[in-house]
Amino acid sequence: MTTYADEATTANAPLTSRLFEPASLGDLRLPNRLVMAPMTRNRAAADGVPQPIMATYYAQRASAGLIIAEASTPNAVGQTYPNITAIHDRAHVAGWRQVTDAVRAAGGRMFLQLQHGGRVGHPDNSGLVPVAPSPVPLPDTIFTPSGHQPAVVPREMTIDEIHATVADFAAAARNAVDAGFAGVEVHGANGYLIHQFLAGGTNHRTDAYGGSVAGRIRFAVEVVRAVADAVGPERVGLRIAPGLTVNGIEEGDTGAIYPALLDALADVGLAYLHVVFADPGQPLFHDLRRRWQGTLIANPMLPWPGPLPADGGRREGERLLAAGADLISLGRAFLANPDLVERLRTGAPLNPVRDTGLMYVGGESGYTDYPTLDAVRRAETLAPAAA
Ligand SMILES: Cc1cc2nc3c(=O)[nH]c(=O)nc-3n(C[C@H](O)[C@H](O)[C@H](O)COP(=O)(O)O)c2cc1C
C-alpha cells in the first residue's frame, strides 16, 4: 500500500520551487521562503537566560529564510514551563545577544516569539500563581521540575494588570531588538494568554476585554499595537491558530473572531501574519488571505504528533504557496535537519525526528547533534578506511 509518507519524499520533488525563491519581509531580504517555526526547547537556565548551546543550535539552522526563535516570556508570571527562555531583564538580553550574533555570523535572520502563558503555568515553574482572563483552569496537567502536576486555578487579571501586561509585551519587544533580533512575533496561538482572551471558553469577562467579539479581541489588538509602537510595525508579526483546540481552547466563534481581529489590525502595517496548521482546503484560510494585505506565513497542517511525511512538509508548503501564502514555516523538519533548505532543494533524504522525549529537555542530544548532509557524507567516506 502506498502511504502519504511514501509519496511525499524529497527524492521525487521537482528541484525548482517557489520555496527557494527570495522574498522581502520589511527591511529583510530572505534568501528563500522557508521559515523555521518557533519551537520551545527548554534549554535555557532556570531563570530564563539563553545558554551558549542555543547559539550553536540556531546558528546550525541559519540557512532558513527566517528563524522565529522559541516562545519567550515577557514577564515573570507569563512563564509556562521549566527552563523556557525569557526576555524581560538585562541578563536575558545578554544571553540572547550571543544567539543572535552567532546566527548573524552564520548568515541568518531571526525574530523572537513573545509568549505569555496565562493559565498555562504553575507556581512551581514561575514562583507565582498564573493569571488569565478568567479563573478557568487548564483541563490538563502542567510539567514542573517535579513532574506533571494538576493545573491550578488562575487568578483573574484586573484591568490594571491587563494594561501592565500590554506594557510588558512592548518592553519585551524593545529588549528583543536590543538583543539583536530583527523583530518579534506576538504569540496569539496555541492556547496561551492572548488566545485565552480570544476564546469564549476561557474568557468569561463582562468588562471591555470580554463578552462580544470586539471585547475578546481587544487585548490582542492592544498588545500588537503597543509592540508595533515600541519597535516599529515592520518588525512585528502575529501568530494565530484559528480553530485549534490545543491547551483546552474552545473559541466558539472562530469564523467571527479572526476576521474581526485582522480587520482591527489592518492599518498597523505589520511585517506578517503567521497562521498555524493552515489548511488550503478551508474557506477560513482563503477568507484570511483575502483580508490580510501583508505577508502571510503558513504553517502546514502535517500529521501531529507524527510521524512527519518524508518530505518534511514540502508538498503541503507548496500547496499553501499556490493558495496564496507568501512564506512557509516548518517546525519538526527544521528541528531534525539543520540544513533543511539544502536537503529540500536537492531532494536529499531528511533526518527523521529521533526521539520526541528529547524535545523539551536539556542537553545536546536531540538538539545540536542532528547531522548535516556534509557530516553524513564525511562519515560515509571515512567509514571504509576505518574498517
Ligand atoms: C518541540 C516543539 C516546540 C514547539 N514550541 C512552540 C513555541 O514555542 N511556539 C509556538 O508558537 N509553537 C510551538 N510549536 C509548534 C510549531 O511552531 C509548529 O506549529 C508545529 O510543530 C507544526 O509544524 P510542523 O508540523 O512543521 O512541526 C512547537 C512544536 C514543537 C515540535
Side-chain angles (χ1 to χ4, degrees):
M1 188 183 76
T2 306
T3 65
Y4 175 88
D6 294 331
E7 288 167 21
T9 60
T10 51
N12 60 14
L15 294 182
T16 57
S17 161
R18 280 192 58 223
L19 282 172
F20 311 113
E21 289 176 4
S24 295
L25 186 72
D27 296 341
L28 295 179
R29 186 86 177 135
L30 313 186
N32 58 69
R33 290 167 189 263
L34 282 158
V35 175
M36 179 174 163
M39 281 179 288
T40 295
R41 304 302 311 277
N42 307 69
R43 262 78 177 177
D47 60 1
V49 174
Q51 298 299 291
I53 192 175
M54 294 173 54
T56 306
Y57 168 75
Y58 282 113
Q60 287 172 338
R61 287 154 180 80
S63 59
L66 177 72
I67 294 171
I68 304 171
E70 64 208 79
S72 300
T73 186
N75 61 21
V77 74
Q79 180 176 351
T80 47
Y81 315 107
N83 299 95
I84 70 151
T85 48
I87 185 71
H88 52 84
D89 73 25
R90 301 320 295 168
H92 302 143
V93 172
W96 274 121
R97 169 58 76 176
Q98 294 177 29
V99 179
T100 61
D101 282 350
V103 169
R104 194 172 298 106
R109 298 135 299 275
M110 206 175 186
F111 269 46
L112 179 67
Q113 189 182 54
L114 304 181
Q115 168 192 276
H116 187 305
R119 70 177 183 166
V120 186
H122 195 278
D124 285 3
N125 293 341
S126 66
L128 298 163
V129 175
V131 295
S134 303
V136 183
L138 180 76
D140 203 348
T141 56
I142 303 238
F143 191 68
T144 71
S146 55
H148 283 274
Q149 296 197 45
V152 298
V153 179
R155 195 166 51 72
E156 179 172 312
M157 293 168 84
T158 63
I159 296 276
D160 282 351
E161 278 175 322
I162 291 175
H163 294 164
T165 306
V166 170
D168 287 343
F169 269 97
R174 278 190 289 269
N175 284 343
V177 171
D178 283 354
F181 286 98
V184 294
E185 175 173 285
V186 173
H187 196 350
N190 299 4
Y192 299 103
L193 183 65
I194 291 176
H195 207 176
Q196 291 159 29
F197 269 93
L198 295 175
T202 38
N203 184 344
H204 299 173
R205 301 180 75 94
T206 53
D207 60 13
Y209 291 92
S212 63
V213 165
R216 279 183 283 133
I217 66 172
R218 191 177 311 278
F219 179 64
V221 171
E222 288 185 1
V223 169
V224 171
R225 284 186 178 273
V227 168
D229 283 349
V231 297
E234 71 288 354
R235 292 180 186 267
V236 181
L238 169 65
R239 192 171 216 216
I240 57 171
L244 201 69
T245 56
V246 65
N247 280 322
I249 282 291
E250 290 172 23
E251 290 169 340
D253 40 14
T254 305
I257 295 169
Y258 291 96
L261 179 63
L262 297 202
D263 289 353
L265 294 173
D267 64 335
V268 182
L270 293 181
Y272 65 80
L273 177 73
H274 190 177
V275 180
V276 178
F277 293 124
D279 178 358
Q282 272 186 2
L284 183 61
F285 176 79
H286 294 278
D287 184 28
L288 298 181
R289 174 65 289 187
R290 261 196 311 277
R291 279 168 200 275
W292 188 253
Q293 301 300 310
T295 296
L296 181 69
I297 306 180
N299 180 221
M301 184 86 120
L302 301 177
W304 183 271
L308 281 181
D311 76 346
R314 174 177 168 158
R315 188 175 68 171
E316 284 305 300
E318 280 167 353
R319 275 184 70 208
L320 280 159
L321 286 180
D326 300 294
L327 305 172
I328 299 302
S329 75
L330 297 175
R332 290 162 291 169
F334 267 112
L335 183 157
N337 294 276
D339 52 351
L340 180 67
V341 176
E342 184 61 5
R343 287 179 190 247
L344 293 185
R345 201 179 57 74
T346 58
L350 303 185
N351 297 324
V353 177
R354 240 186 18 240
D355 177 358
T356 53
L358 298 172
M359 280 181 176
Y360 306 105
V361 296
E364 291 175 10
S365 189
Y367 192 55
T368 49
D369 61 350
Y370 279 104
T372 60
L373 277 174
D374 281 350
V376 171
R377 287 184 190 128
R378 272 198 308 274
E380 282 169 359
T381 321
L382 288 175

